Amino acid sequence: PLIKRFVGRKTCELKAQSVSEEDSVIVCEWRMYGELNLPWKPTLDLCGRTSFYYDEQTCRVVKYYEQWGESVGSAFKQLLTPKQMR
């Protein structure tokens, strides 16, 4: 895909996970870091949480919610800021 041309070094780190069988949900906390291949070399460094709700009968994910530790504005600012200015 075209997006691969714009992404350099990248990592996604699983920080923690928990399961609630009572609520049929798996919660994962993560950190995502990536360097973008743009002339000003911005980086994106986000932490967040994803909640995966699954069907107890099929064990398939039926919906998920993602929350970022940063605001959308803060993430967008990271994309506009040259790497050496951080």
Side-chain angles (χ1 to χ4, degrees), residues 21-66:
E21 291 182 17
E22 182 177 305
D23 296 326
S24 301
V25 64
I26 300 168
V27 178
C28 299
E29 295 181 23
W30 47 264
R31 176 178 177 235
M32 175 178 66
Y33 174 86
E35 296 175 352
L36 301 180
N37 296 327
L38 296 170
W40 59 97
K41 302 293 183 198
T43 58
L44 191 58
D45 192 356
L46 302 171
C47 291
R49 169 185 300 193
T50 306
S51 301
F52 299 95
Y53 292 85
Y54 61 91
D55 179 287
E56 289 183 31
Q57 302 295 322
T58 64
C59 295
R60 295 182 78 152
V61 173
V62 294
K63 63 182 173 180
Y64 74 94
Y65 295 102
E66 190 171 285

Side-chain angles (χ1 to χ4, degrees), residues 3-28:
I3 192 74
K4 286 185 178 183
R5 294 174 57 190
F6 295 102
V7 179
R9 193 176 71 118
K10 60 191 177 297
T11 61
C12 190
E13 184 179 332
L14 181 62
K15 297 285 199 176
Q17 72 223 9
S18 62
V19 177
S20 171
E21 291 182 17
E22 182 177 305
D23 296 326
S24 301
V25 64
I26 300 168
V27 178
C28 299

